[in-house]
Amino acid sequence: MAWSYRKRIKVIPGVHLNFSKRGISTTIGVKGASINFNKSGTTLSTSILGFSSRQKLSTPKSASKSSSKSQYQPVSQYPENPINNFYYDENIFSADIHEITSQNMQGIKESIILAHQQKKELITDLKKTSRTLFLTKTKKILSFVFLYGFVNKNIPQNSDRDIKAQKQAIEQIKMMIEKCYVNLEIDFDNEIKKKFELVHEAFKKLTTSHKIWDITSSHYQDRVAMRSSASTIVKRREVHFALKSIPYIKSDYQALYLKNANGPDFYIYPTFIVMYNNENNFAIIGIDELNFHQTYTRFTETSTVPRDSKIIGQTWAKVNKNGSRDKRFKSNYQIPVVRYGNIRFSTQTGVLEEYELSNYELTEEFGKTFREFQTLFR
């Protein structure tokens, strides 16, 4: 079955996401004058009195892309039956947040920054107007305390007029503050909408996993020297997933939130991913540029086995080369081998994040639905 979807998404007035065979791009402006951000760079388009022109404003930084790719791509592919899932030394974290925004998402980022700046300025105006209102009320009270308000009735009348105007200004500013956000109006065809709803539901189930870890590094170890069945030692920190959105973005759906232990958190929206520290420190990546990999991990669990994990084997604290028990150690004990789910995100611009989850079945379900949805944008 051929899938179809709307080729443009309105973000805020004058800002749109565009879809084509070349990928996702952002357009800012109105008919006759607009700027387009895409993978090949930034283009200014104008049309005056029937005469049209296109001017290239910038091109992607190819040098930074190539250096990021060599630094953050995995050294080897996942083996068919991995033990602890890794066969290479690696610190797993993303590049600097200012380097990883996709070229075609720059317009969305600018819109969010603008919404934040507008809100900040309006809050300042609200404080000034509130102080002015307080002073006006104080002036009116003092006019009666010192009696000149009874002598010159224009003074309290003017104060009442100013108080009314200032109150109206305060209400208008509050209304404007509430509207300082990027509105992501999703208007996909029903089939596409159903695909994302499946992703949303699968992720909601995934958040119920008993344990979720952010893998922050993995290092090779000599199995023979260490008398261990595990070829790699990983460092992991427990985190959580949830459904929630970031400030300044409103959408029909809550974002898929993935806590990051050593960097900005992940917020996955239907068309892009936001890596977010705060309103001044974030990056946006088009969902079509994200490399997503879902697999499983045979993990030698020395801690308590999570209640929703399956034990698929046993090993020993000290083993021989062939994996059998090393009888030279009297206090040698058995260790369970469990099957965990694993998901990994990466991009050529420097994103590199990996998670391990105690519930493999839910991880597999999410991986399947996410891959199927992502293929629609490629």
Side-chain angles (χ1 to χ4, degrees):
M1 178 183 293
W3 298 94
S4 62
Y5 52 86
R6 297 294 179 90
K7 293 186 177 181
R8 173 173 278 204
I9 292 180
K10 179 181 177 183
V11 180
I12 58 176
V15 181
H16 297 84
L17 284 178
N18 312 297
F19 301 90
S20 68
K21 293 181 179 179
R22 295 181 180 180
I24 305 175
S25 65
T26 309
T27 299
I28 296 180
V30 295
K31 186 177 181 180
S34 63
I35 298 177
N36 182 266
F37 300 87
N38 55 54
K39 293 180 181 179
S40 61
T42 305
T43 305
L44 171 65
S45 300
T46 57
S47 179
I48 303 175
L49 299 176
F51 295 94
S52 301
S53 68
R54 289 170 60 85
Q55 180 182 357
K56 201 77 171 180
L57 300 180
S58 68
T59 56
K61 298 179 181 180
S62 57
S64 62
K65 276 194 173 185
S66 60
S67 61
S68 296
K69 183 176 180 180
S70 61
Q71 183 177 0
Y72 294 101
Q73 290 299 310
V75 177
S76 62
Q77 299 296 320
Y78 293 104
E80 182 66 22
N81 293 301
I83 301 293
N84 287 5
N85 213 30
F86 307 95
Y87 279 76
Y88 48 88
D89 289 350
E90 183 180 33
N91 289 321
I92 303 174
F93 61 91
S94 298
D96 185 87
I97 197 73
H98 300 292
E99 299 176 3
I100 59 180
T101 292
S102 304
Q103 176 69 24
N104 55 343
M105 292 288 111
Q106 191 65 39
I108 301 296
K109 182 174 181 178
E110 295 298 332
S111 299
I112 296 174
I113 292 173
L114 179 61
H116 167 63
Q117 290 175 342
Q118 288 177 338
K119 185 174 183 179
K120 187 176 180 180
E121 292 172 0
L122 286 169
I123 289 174
T124 300
D125 291 342
L126 180 62
K127 290 179 179 178
K128 289 181 179 179
T129 307
S130 297
R131 285 198 298 268
T132 302
L133 176 62
F134 173 77
L135 292 174
T136 304
K137 289 181 176 179
T138 302
K139 180 181 176 181
K140 178 183 177 182
I141 294 172
L142 292 175
S143 70
F144 289 113
V145 171
F146 294 101
L147 303 179
Y148 60 82
F150 294 102
V151 177
N152 187 353
K153 295 185 178 180
N154 288 330
I155 295 177
Q157 289 176 355
N158 291 336
S159 296
D160 289 338
R161 182 194 61 204
D162 292 341
I163 288 171
K164 182 179 179 181
Q166 290 158 8
K167 286 183 176 180
Q168 290 176 346
I170 288 173
E171 291 301 316
Q172 290 177 354
I173 294 172
K174 287 181 178 180
M175 290 175 61
M176 292 172 67
I177 289 175
E178 292 177 358
K179 295 180 179 180
C180 286
Y181 57 83
V182 171
N183 186 23
L184 187 62
E185 295 181 356
I186 305 299
D187 192 20
F188 288 136
D189 291 342
N190 288 333
E191 293 87 350
I192 303 298
K193 185 177 180 181
K194 289 178 182 178
K195 283 286 184 181
F196 184 75
E197 287 176 349
L198 290 175
V199 174
H200 209 262
E201 187 61 30
F203 184 81
K204 187 176 180 180
K205 294 178 183 177
L206 191 63
T207 63
T208 64
S209 296
H210 184 212
K211 293 287 184 179
I212 303 174
W213 298 277
D214 183 355
I215 305 298
T216 58
S217 68
S218 62
H219 303 283
Y220 171 82
Q221 73 168 354
D222 189 328
R223 292 177 56 229
V224 177
M226 298 303 297
R227 316 303 294 179
S228 173
S229 63
S231 61
T232 305
I233 298 296
V234 300
K235 288 185 179 180
R236 60 185 186 179
R237 291 172 60 183
E238 190 171 346
V239 294
H240 69 280
F241 292 173
L243 292 170
K244 70 175 185 178
S245 298
I246 65 173
Y248 307 107
I249 294 183
K250 286 194 176 183
S251 172
D252 298 333
Y253 300 94
Q254 285 185 301
L256 316 183
Y257 169 75
L258 294 77
K259 176 68 178 176
N260 188 2
N262 59 348
D265 298 333
F266 258 68
Y267 291 82
I268 301 177
Y269 287 90
T271 52
F272 55 81
I273 293 91
V274 182
M275 295 191 69
Y276 187 87
N277 275 327
N278 54 55
E279 58 271 8
N280 295 313
N281 195 13
F282 65 94
I284 303 181
I285 304 101
I287 199 167
D288 59 331
E289 297 184 45
L290 187 71
N291 298 314
F292 174 77
H293 187 84
Q294 177 266 316
T295 183
Y296 72 92
T297 305
R298 286 173 55 89
F299 197 88
T300 303
E301 185 57 83
T302 55
S303 300
T304 304
V305 176
R307 58 175 176 265
D308 56 352
S309 300
K310 292 183 179 179
I311 297 176
I312 58 175
Q314 296 285 342
T315 186
W316 300 90
K318 300 294 181 180
V319 300
N320 297 312
K321 290 182 180 181
N322 61 2
S324 61
R325 179 187 180 187
D326 191 333
K327 297 181 180 179
R328 293 177 299 173
F329 296 88
K330 293 183 179 180
S331 59
N332 203 355
Y333 56 92
Q334 277 192 313
I335 301 175
V337 177
V338 296
R339 192 181 200 188
Y340 289 149
N342 183 278
I343 56 177
R344 185 181 181 99
F345 301 96
S346 65
T347 68
Q348 289 190 346
T349 56
V351 174
L352 182 59
E353 301 296 338
E354 187 143 7
Y355 294 94
E356 194 170 71
L357 299 100
S358 58
N359 194 311
Y360 168 74
E361 288 77 13
L362 295 182
T363 309
E364 184 179 39
E365 180 182 351
F366 171 72
K368 180 181 178 181
T369 58
F370 189 84
R371 283 191 298 269
E372 289 179 354
F373 178 74
Q374 193 181 29
T375 55
L376 302 176
F377 295 88
R378 292 181 172 177

